[in-house]
Amino acid sequence: MLPKRLFVFDRYRLDEQERQLLLGTQVVPLPPKVFDLLAALVRNAGRLLLKRDLLDKVWSGVAVEEGSLTRGISSLRQVLGSTADGRDYIQTVSKRGYRFIPQVRQTTGYELDGTRLGTPLPPALLATAVVDFVGREAELVQMQDVWQRAKDGRHQLLLVAGEPGIGKTRLSLEFARIRAAEESIVLIGYSDEENLVPYQPFVECLSWYFRNCPEAELRGQLAGIGGGGELAAFVPELRNLTPDLPSPLPMDPEGQRYRLFEAVAGMLAVASRARPMLLMFDDLHWADRPTLLLLRHVMRSARTASFVIIATYRESELDRTHPLAEMLITMRRERGTTRLVLHGLNITHVEALVNSIVGPNAPSQLSQVVLDSTDGNPFFATEMLQHLKETGAIASVSGMTGRTIEIGDLGLSEGIKEVIGQRLSRLTEACNRALSIASIVGREFDATLLEAVAELQDDELLDALEEATRAQLISESQAVSGRFEFMHALIRETLYSELSSPRRVRLHRRIADAIERLSQNKPNPPLAELAYHFSQAASVDVVDKAIDYATRAGDRAADGLAHEEAARLFDIALHSLEFSPEGRDTERLRVDLHTRRARSFDALGQWRLEVRELDAALHHLHPEQIESRCEFFLALARAWFLLLDVRPVEQYATEALQLADRLQRNDLAANAMAWLARCRQANGDLGAAIDIDRRSMSLAPGVVTAAHTMGPLTLYLAGRSTEALALATVAADSARSSRDTTFIMYSLTHLGLNLAAVGRYAEATNAFHEARTFGRKYGAIPMLARATAMAAGLHLTLFDFEGAEALQSEACELARGVGFVPPIVSAGIDSLLTFARLHEPGRAERLLKETAAAAASTAGWHQWLWQIRLTQAKAELALARDAVDEAIATATDSIEQSRARGRPKYEALGLITRARGLHARARTRDAIADAKTAVSVADRTGDPALLLLALDALIGLDGTDELATRARAVTDCIYDGMPDEVMRRCFTESEVMRRIRAPQ
């Protein structure tokens, strides 16, 4: 009979013959197709398996979508968990396929003959986790170090501390699973709040061990500790397993307890000599004093032993008189004791949790809201997400626009309420009353403010705050004396939700009055807090205060470029305005607030919301306010341009121009003309756009308009970057001193584009870096995606293909997150060109379809530009596939389109591609003619990198010393302008440079 073929990796064995995955000695159930998928990955460990190949292997002869593969990979990741060092078993190679990472050893069933079956896993280890285990990489490393010391014969105590829900038990179980897979002995015991069983965690661990240990082995171990009779009363079923167990010697109670403690310590030492042992004691804060005394005795034993006791406990349950608190004071000083305090998950791990529970299409804000609300507490985060999913609230949260998602929008699950409610029920009435009032104040609160509102005596309030601090419900600030903060937003929300609406309203008013009184004569009063509490007071007599404070707070936030906060505060003012009597003044204020809110959304790149606010402002604008109407039309023209819809741009710009002429305002007319120029540009008439921009700037000299912001891009597209630089520099300098986020991002990006096009690469890199840093800092994500896509083009130009791919991927990810199409198209086309120039056309097949579809979705907005670039990318890909005739025909199409639109860069690239194709067809004379024309076109643009590509093509066809000398001069110019050594290396090692430097 042939032996079984087994694949061994990490803590798993894959048995192909029995179609089983084994974790230690336990079978891990897998659906048939998921098993086939794992087998395919394991058999090809270390190799990249393309998605199409995996679909063919696993679903042979069955037509399935790629989603089946994605779901199979997700299932495997959930089942396998993480490797010992915290990594995934399966690596995703973006847009290509998957790779199985661990080292796999192939063996046979014969080689495993005689392998001792381990103690069965406790039920807690066999239970399937509801959600993925995420994070805790550093903690697992620390636990591994403790385990290694135990394996060396030095038994260890690992104390895992943290608040309820922080993941103490889950982390310990995950670590135990890893040890079980190594066929170590794993035992689990618990302490219950009722304390019904003395020594409960020890009893449960040893009972499981005795029950499952082979009789002969158990008898040998008992003999090794002197018979083990003392253990019979401790674990009654031991006498059933070994009826001839000797009776313990009679002695006084203290002596009996000492003998029992010695027997337990001896049993653990003897049992762990054959195989290392891990004992997990959960909820040690509920352990009785005898259990803690036994634990201390076991850990102080001088015997050589290879076991670790992992004990979890809640710090919030311990006061100074708690038995465990007393023991910890002494045990922490003992050698062999390690204390591990768990804190909340970070944003990366919360994002992974959101993806696991909600899925990849979760609202973009959700992860941050969950983190802020729970401080990364895994239980609270999981409960919140499952509550959202089960109640369908995720759909309503996804539809929220124009404001930040808050904890109140999400609601509280019953599980969270129950856990927090249990903790609050242990507090005094005075403490609960103080915390309820503090919940009205907010996540943070000052003792001084609480004292002014809570109507508690000084000592009573301080006692309440100290009690809540000991219970780890609030914490005192280390930076500001007398300031406290709820440990979780969920604790505050639970308290807040328990108050009736009338009581909340009354308390908000009292708190608002108290803040106003306490902040009198302060240079920077807490405007946002005053606005919030006066608005929540829902009283007509404080409406003016709510509006005033909210508007001032919004202006302060906008000045600090905190535009999300500004939009929220202006919205508070608008809602408060509903309580004001109707009239001209109210309408004027409503227009003003909608305008301020529109500016905030513009700064954030949320232009559809900006349009909504501008439309609202126009609706309430008095008909006689012609100048304001003209300014609103210009703002709408800009917003619709950014929304990729040229028709309303032309409509609003035309109306604005008519009003500006009527007002005789050249500055407004110049800006209207500049937006009309953008319409010509979007339709591919670069000459007309440049001409209108020139007339616009001459109409209002010194006035910065859209011609300054967008004109440099128009000139760049027309191959006139040298001319564009002066205009781009003026725009960037003006933008830096403004508070207009979109103006800043556009101006810096266009400056970078034109600097790169004239060979000033280091300066271009700095401009792109400045734009991206600004966009990231202030949350202008659409413009950040655009700047990132354009920065990727610089890396592509200089043959830094790896850097280009990284930025292309980042740009697409950012743009998809906010639904902004242009960077997806631009970066997608650059990716196609990257694949072609890397001679990897096979990578482009799916991306080409996706990019073409994205470009088609922007019909009427720069469609001509996308079409030229896509055509050129197709020509280069065809050439990379050796589809020469297709390459020649497609390149010809690219050349004709570029000439028709006045786009010299792509005319030159098309000529270069066609020249290479013609040469491959032995049409050398035609190829040389194209290459010479490409050199001439590139030369006119002043772009050294483009000129180098053209010279490289011509030298390969009709090289002369003169051309070689010129090419080397161009390469020196490019090299001198490089921003860093990485780009210099990529440039120097490129194919083009190798050909240029080769002897002619």
Side-chain angles (χ1 to χ4, degrees):
M1 179 179 175
L2 290 175
K4 292 182 181 180
R5 183 167 72 151
L6 300 174
F7 295 94
V8 180
F9 59 92
D10 199 25
R11 55 188 190 267
Y12 292 101
R13 290 197 299 246
L14 185 76
D15 184 338
E16 281 198 305
Q17 184 174 320
E18 299 293 335
R19 293 183 61 80
Q20 289 181 337
L21 175 66
L22 299 159
L23 174 63
T25 58
Q26 304 298 319
V27 175
V28 179
L30 290 177
K33 288 300 179 186
V34 176
F35 179 88
D36 293 339
L37 178 58
L38 177 61
L41 289 164
V42 168
R43 283 196 300 270
N44 296 277
R47 291 174 50 203
L48 172 63
L49 291 180
L50 298 179
K51 293 179 181 180
R52 176 47 54 193
D53 291 343
L54 277 169
L55 287 169
D56 291 343
K57 288 175 184 290
V58 178
W59 287 272
S60 178
V62 180
V64 295
E65 296 292 328
E66 191 178 298
S68 300
L69 176 59
T70 305
R71 288 189 292 274
I73 293 291
S74 177
S75 298
L76 282 176
R77 284 179 172 145
Q78 188 167 348
V79 168
L80 296 174
S82 301
T83 61
D85 57 3
R87 295 186 303 159
D88 283 340
Y89 284 90
I90 303 167
Q91 176 192 31
T92 299
V93 180
S94 181
K95 303 176 183 176
R96 301 186 69 189
Y98 301 95
R99 181 183 288 114
F100 197 71
I101 298 299
Q103 184 175 358
V104 175
R105 178 171 62 90
Q106 187 172 330
T107 184
T108 66
Y110 291 162
E111 294 178 50
L112 295 175
D113 279 354
T115 298
R116 182 186 182 278
L117 290 177
T119 303
L121 298 181
L125 290 188
L126 294 175
T128 302
V130 177
V131 296
D132 290 349
F133 178 68
V134 299
R136 305 301 187 203
E137 293 86 356
E139 289 86 348
L140 286 169
V141 170
Q142 192 172 348
M143 296 171 83
Q144 177 62 36
D145 291 341
V146 170
W147 179 252
Q148 188 57 52
R149 291 195 291 273
K151 288 174 68 176
D152 294 339
R154 296 171 289 164
H155 54 288
Q156 303 286 306
L157 173 62
L158 177 60
L159 298 164
V160 182
E163 64 181 2
I166 201 66
K168 304 178 295 295
T169 302
R170 181 67 187 273
L171 172 64
S172 302
L173 287 172
E174 292 297 327
F175 185 74
R177 288 190 179 97
I178 297 172
R179 304 284 72 87
E182 300 171 348
E183 299 188 1
S184 301
I185 301 170
V186 175
L187 307 171
I188 299 178
Y190 300 89
S191 296
D192 293 328
E193 193 171 7
E194 298 80 9
N195 276 323
L196 299 179
V197 180
Y199 309 111
Q200 182 177 343
F202 281 102
V203 170
E204 289 178 349
C205 286
L206 290 178
S207 295
W208 183 267
Y209 179 73
F210 292 158
R211 196 178 308 136
N212 294 285
C213 186
E215 183 179 347
E217 188 173 336
L218 178 59
R219 288 182 178 279
Q221 291 172 357
L222 292 170
I225 61 170
E230 295 80 8
L231 297 174
F234 187 72
V235 184
E237 67 182 295
L238 178 60
R239 191 167 294 281
N240 297 329
L241 296 168
T242 53
D244 54 348
L245 195 70
S247 298
L249 296 173
M251 56 184 66
D252 61 66
E254 281 299 311
Q256 288 177 357
R257 187 161 78 168
Y258 176 79
R259 290 281 298 171
L260 169 64
F261 284 11
E262 277 291 284
V264 172
M267 190 70 213
L268 294 177
V270 170
S272 66
R273 286 173 192 163
R275 284 185 300 153
M277 179 182 284
L278 185 148
L279 298 89
M280 177 182 159
F281 291 179
D282 203 24
D283 292 333
L284 195 66
H285 49 274
W286 283 327
D288 57 9
R289 187 175 292 275
T291 297
L292 298 176
L293 293 173
L294 175 54
L295 176 61
R296 184 174 64 184
H297 186 96
V298 167
M299 295 316 302
R300 287 180 171 176
S301 173
R303 294 177 175 87
T304 299
S306 296
F307 66 83
V308 172
I309 296 178
I310 298 179
T312 71
Y313 70 96
R314 297 177 187 172
E315 291 180 304
S316 59
E317 299 287 340
L318 308 186
D319 56 30
R320 284 179 295 178
T321 61
H322 193 288
L324 179 57
E326 296 174 6
M327 192 199 80
L328 289 176
I329 294 172
T330 58
M331 291 302 298
R332 287 176 190 166
R333 296 195 292 265
E334 301 281 342
R335 286 192 307 170
T337 299
T338 301
R339 183 166 174 261
L340 183 61
V341 180
L342 298 189
H343 301 288
L345 303 174
N346 62 30
I347 185 62
T348 302
H349 299 139
V350 172
E351 286 171 350
L353 196 61
V354 170
N355 188 60
S356 168
I357 296 172
V358 179
N361 297 320
S364 58
Q365 298 182 48
L366 186 57
S367 297
Q368 190 63 54
V369 173
V370 170
L371 178 63
D372 293 341
S373 304
T374 66
D375 280 346
N377 182 296
F379 171 77
F380 289 157
T382 300
E383 281 286 320
M384 178 182 290
L385 291 167
Q386 289 181 328
H387 169 72
L388 278 174
K389 187 175 180 180
E390 290 165 3
T391 60
I394 198 71
S396 60
V397 170
S398 299
M400 286 181 188
T401 57
R403 65 179 182 88
T404 303
I405 300 172
E406 297 178 356
I407 180 61
D409 300 320
L410 307 180
L412 295 176
S413 73
E414 291 303 316
I416 291 175
K417 290 180 183 178
E418 183 179 338
V419 170
I420 294 175
Q422 286 175 351
R423 296 177 68 184
L424 292 171
S425 68
R426 300 189 184 106
L427 303 177
T428 62
E429 182 182 347
C431 185
N432 270 290
R433 188 162 70 252
L435 290 179
S436 293
I437 297 172
S439 75
I440 298 289
V441 178
R443 176 77 183 268
E444 293 184 354
F445 57 92
D446 289 324
T448 305
L449 176 60
L450 211 57
E451 183 181 5
V453 180
E455 298 178 348
L456 293 171
Q457 299 299 320
D458 289 350
D459 289 346
E460 194 176 11
L461 176 61
L462 292 176
D463 289 344
L465 293 174
E466 288 173 358
E467 182 183 356
T469 302
R470 286 194 303 273
Q472 294 193 359
L473 293 167
I474 63 173
S475 62
E476 187 172 5
S477 169
Q478 300 298 312
V480 182
S481 177
R483 176 165 295 175
F484 294 84
E485 178 182 13
F486 284 101
M487 295 291 284
H488 298 291
L490 296 174
I491 297 172
R492 182 242 171 184
E493 186 65 22
T494 299
L495 287 158
Y496 190 83
S497 66
E498 290 176 349
L499 296 169
S500 66
S501 295
R503 188 173 294 278
R504 288 182 206 165
V505 168
R506 186 186 307 167
L507 286 171
H508 276 297
R509 175 62 186 270
R510 287 170 56 190
I511 289 167
D513 289 338
I515 294 173
E516 194 173 47
R517 188 170 61 252
L518 292 169
S519 60
Q520 278 181 346
N521 303 320
K522 287 186 177 181
N524 292 305
L527 300 174
E529 287 87 343
L530 286 163
Y532 169 67
H533 290 295
F534 274 120
S535 69
Q536 292 297 309
S539 176
V540 174
D541 62 324
V542 294
V543 165
D544 290 343
K545 286 187 176 184
I547 295 169
D548 176 60
Y549 283 129
T551 304
R552 289 163 60 195
D555 288 342
R556 181 188 287 179
D559 287 343
L561 300 182
H563 297 295
E564 296 97 331
E565 177 68 0
R568 184 184 71 83
L569 289 161
F570 294 138
D571 192 45
I572 288 176
L574 278 166
H575 280 290
S576 299
L577 196 61
E578 298 299 323
F579 293 94
S580 295
E582 290 300 325
R584 185 78 177 267
D585 290 341
T586 298
E587 285 295 272
R588 187 182 299 113
L589 187 51
R590 188 171 279 118
V591 169
D592 178 66
L593 289 170
H594 280 300
T595 304
R596 292 169 193 253
R597 195 161 150 80
R599 289 194 201 108
S600 297
F601 289 131
D602 172 48
L604 293 167
Q606 297 178 15
W607 302 299
R608 199 162 294 282
L609 295 176
E610 180 192 5
V611 166
R612 187 185 70 186
E613 296 298 322
L614 291 171
D615 284 340
L618 270 173
H619 176 73
H620 294 283
L621 188 68
H622 194 275
E624 294 177 2
Q625 293 182 279
I626 305 300
E627 186 175 307
S628 295
R629 187 169 300 276
C630 180
E631 290 171 342
F632 281 128
F633 284 161
L634 289 172
L636 282 163
R638 174 168 120 153
W640 279 111
F641 177 80
L642 295 168
L643 286 168
L644 319 183
D645 194 340
V646 176
R647 284 172 299 178
V649 177
E650 182 132 23
Q651 172 196 331
Y652 285 118
T654 301
E655 291 186 47
L657 183 58
Q658 292 169 353
L659 291 177
D661 288 341
R662 179 176 160 189
L663 293 164
Q664 296 185 335
R665 286 283 302 274
N666 286 351
D667 56 336
L668 297 177
N671 209 10
M673 291 172 64
W675 286 116
L676 289 171
R678 307 288 67 79
C679 297
R680 305 298 173 268
Q681 175 187 318
N683 291 323
D685 193 346
L686 297 179
I690 292 169
D691 180 61
I692 296 173
D693 277 338
R694 187 176 64 253
R695 289 191 284 118
S696 165
M697 288 183 283
S698 65
L699 180 64
V703 176
V704 176
T705 67
H708 295 78
T709 310
M710 306 301 299
L713 175 62
T714 311
L715 290 167
Y716 165 82
L717 295 174
R720 295 161 62 174
S721 286
T722 304
E723 180 184 344
L725 265 181
L727 186 60
T729 303
V730 169
D733 289 342
S734 178
R736 289 187 181 102
S737 61
S738 77
R739 293 189 176 277
D740 187 331
T741 304
T742 305
F743 181 26
I744 292 169
M745 293 295 290
Y746 263 119
S747 299
L748 290 173
T749 305
H750 294 164
L751 178 62
L753 271 182
N754 284 291
L755 285 167
V758 298
R760 292 162 62 177
Y761 305 112
E763 294 172 76
T765 300
N766 290 337
F768 285 131
H769 176 72
E770 184 181 353
R772 295 177 67 217
T773 301
F774 182 90
R776 194 174 288 111
K777 181 176 181 180
Y778 295 111
I781 304 303
M783 294 292 97
L784 173 60
R786 183 176 185 270
T788 302
M790 291 185 175
L794 172 61
H795 289 258
L796 173 61
T797 296
L798 299 176
F799 314 124
D800 176 15
F801 299 122
E802 185 176 345
E805 284 199 68
L807 288 170
Q808 290 154 7
S809 177
E810 181 184 343
C812 286
E813 185 175 343
L814 287 166
R816 287 192 184 100
V818 292
F820 190 48
V821 178
I824 297 173
V825 180
S826 181
I829 293 171
D830 276 352
S831 293
L832 296 172
L833 292 169
T834 301
F835 299 156
R837 293 172 192 182
L838 284 170
H839 307 292
E840 298 177 359
R843 295 172 61 188
E845 184 178 348
R846 176 164 296 175
L847 178 62
L848 182 58
K849 294 177 183 177
E850 293 173 355
T851 305
S857 72
T858 66
W861 193 93
H862 289 87
Q863 186 73 26
W864 64 274
L865 178 59
W866 303 142
Q867 195 57 48
I868 290 173
R869 298 189 64 214
L870 266 173
T871 304
Q872 177 58 30
K874 291 176 183 177
E876 293 193 31
L877 287 166
L879 195 62
R881 294 196 313 270
D882 292 326
V884 177
D885 293 335
E886 180 186 342
I888 293 170
T890 310
T892 300
D893 189 9
S894 174
I895 295 163
E896 291 171 353
Q897 289 185 51
S898 299
R899 285 173 176 165
R901 300 294 187 178
R903 187 75 173 97
K905 177 179 177 179
Y906 280 85
E907 179 186 352
L909 290 173
L911 288 163
I912 292 167
T913 305
R914 189 168 70 178
R916 296 192 186 282
L918 291 169
H919 180 60
R921 284 288 178 257
R923 294 169 58 184
T924 305
R925 182 178 298 176
D926 293 337
I928 292 171
D930 271 355
K932 286 181 176 179
T933 306
V935 169
S936 176
V937 172
D939 205 12
R940 290 198 301 272
T941 68
D943 185 337
L946 182 62
L947 178 58
L948 181 63
L949 291 175
L951 287 169
D952 172 51
L954 182 56
I955 289 170
L957 297 167
D958 188 25
T960 64
D961 290 341
E962 181 183 355
L963 282 174
T965 301
R966 186 181 180 191
R968 291 190 185 100
V970 173
T971 61
D972 291 343
C973 172
I974 294 172
Y975 189 87
D976 291 342
M978 293 279 188
D980 54 49
E981 288 303 319
V982 173
M983 278 203 185
R984 289 191 184 97
R985 177 178 53 77
C986 293
F987 179 72
T988 304
E989 295 175 0
S990 67
E991 280 185 302
V992 172
M993 283 299 294
R994 287 200 298 270
R995 289 195 294 265
I996 293 293
R997 289 181 173 176
Q1000 300 301 313

